[in-house]
Amino acid sequence: MLGGLVDIEKLLSISSRYFIPIIEDSTEALGSSYKGKYAGTFGSLGIFSFNGNKIISTGGGGMIVTDSEIFGEKAKHITTTAKTDPLNYFHDEIGYNYRLVNVLAAIGVAQMENFSKILDKKKSIDKIYRKELKDLNKVFFQKHLESSDPNCWLFTFRTPNMRKLLEYLNFNGIQSRPLWTPMNRLPMFSRLKYISKEDDISGQVFSDCISIPSSSNLSEIQQEQVIKSIKKFYNK
Ligand SMILES: *Cc1c(COP(=O)(O)O)cnc(C)c1O
């Protein structure tokens, strides 16, 4: 999440012990790596969204990566309408028109050419925020796995004052947002069983986290303004 990596070694060992395949939703971690291996390449399949708000975008659509020929062929088949006969348009199962069309793919390829620059900028934004905000009372940063190299997609921190800070920043013209509502709190899933080992961790993270401007277009002056505003909120 947010460009950080999950404890993948632990998950892989559970996965192999119980034969549970892993599908990595690696959208936010495009370019992040753990021990030199990239997010999206640990599980059976990795998926990436290239929606407008992502680290690179094709306007819409996404990508599935896999090193399994069987999964690859199956994914190709059901994302391109499961057609088996081009003359008679015969579909042998329920398929979807989930193509990343070639025009959009070309936009994605062009973005990949700038990808290392985007990553450098994201990492520099992250470094500056961590340095400038670390002494504020009750501000906690996302922790990263040792031996990991996160892409620093969206700078987010925890603070018990999240709601007030969110209002303050947005009121002052600095677009900030809370995290995504946990799925167990969405109406269509609310009747399903929610299992949590300790207290409601995702609920706590949700109520404390705030994401602040971290676009690769953010200028140094703009970032200074964000920092100044946050410090002002904390009377520093
Ligand atoms: C944005 C995002 C999605 C949704 O992608 P769409 O292309 O809008 O379907 C899914 N998972 C993660 C982790 C995301 O960040």
Side-chain angles (χ1 to χ4, degrees):
M1 201 176 177
L2 303 165
L5 282 112
V6 71
D7 189 348
I8 192 72
E9 284 188 2
K10 208 178 208 171
L11 284 187
L12 286 170
S13 86
I14 296 170
S15 154
S16 64
R17 186 164 3 130
Y18 297 102
F19 303 102
I20 303 168
I22 292 180
I23 299 174
E24 285 173 82
D25 182 351
S26 314
T27 294
E28 297 173 20
L30 179 67
S32 301
S33 60
Y34 173 70
K35 294 187 176 168
K37 194 170 158 63
Y38 287 105
T41 66
F42 292 95
S44 306
L45 297 147
I47 57 177
F48 297 93
S49 162
F50 300 133
N51 196 38
N53 58 339
K54 308 303 179 186
I55 191 159
I56 63 161
S57 174
T58 57
M63 182 183 276
I64 299 169
V65 296
T66 180
D67 56 7
S68 148
E69 216 162 294
I70 294 171
F71 286 149
E73 274 169 19
K74 179 79 179 181
K76 186 98 198 167
H77 189 58
I78 60 176
T79 56
T80 54
T81 70
K83 209 186 301 173
T84 52
D85 183 332
L87 182 64
N88 295 302
Y89 278 30
F90 187 80
H91 307 268
D92 67 349
E93 62 183 308
I94 293 176
Y96 307 88
N97 191 357
Y98 285 173
R99 293 176 177 89
L100 180 70
V101 297
N102 55 6
V103 177
L104 299 187
I107 295 171
V109 169
Q111 300 228 337
M112 281 311 284
E113 287 170 8
N114 291 324
F115 190 53
S116 64
K117 268 192 218 143
I118 295 173
L119 277 187
D120 287 348
K121 176 69 181 175
K122 293 273 185 193
K123 288 177 186 180
S124 131
I125 290 171
D126 182 276
K127 206 167 155 190
I128 294 169
Y129 276 142
R130 282 178 190 256
K131 178 166 166 270
E132 293 293 328
L133 304 178
K134 71 174 189 313
D135 295 327
L136 296 178
N137 195 22
K138 293 191 179 153
V139 165
F140 308 100
F141 301 133
Q142 186 180 20
K143 289 188 191 127
H144 292 298
L145 281 184
E146 220 175 284
S147 314
S148 74
D149 182 17
N151 67 8
C152 307
W153 171 54
L154 181 60
F155 195 82
T156 301
F157 59 92
R158 284 182 80 163
T159 172
N161 290 329
M162 187 279 272
R163 279 286 150 192
K164 284 207 175 103
L165 178 60
L166 187 73
E167 270 173 36
Y168 178 84
L169 290 178
N170 282 306
F171 181 77
N172 286 288
I174 296 171
Q175 191 188 27
S176 306
R177 44 158 303 157
L179 274 190
W180 303 271
T181 305
M183 287 172 76
N184 63 300
R185 296 191 184 190
L186 298 178
M188 59 285 196
F189 301 124
S190 62
R191 284 179 21 242
L192 302 179
K193 192 168 176 182
Y194 169 57
I195 299 165
S196 185
K197 192 172 165 193
E198 295 170 48
D199 301 334
D200 179 12
I201 304 280
S202 62
Q204 287 174 26
V205 170
F206 172 61
S207 63
D208 288 353
C209 276
I210 179 167
S211 302
I212 57 176
S214 19
S215 160
S216 50
N217 295 329
L218 190 73
S219 72
E220 275 178 30
I221 293 166
Q222 287 171 324
Q223 189 174 9
E224 269 169 35
Q225 284 169 342
V226 176
I227 291 164
K228 221 164 146 185
S229 232
I230 294 173
K231 284 186 174 168
K232 199 165 166 199
F233 174 82
Y234 285 100
N235 298 314
K236 278 261 180 175

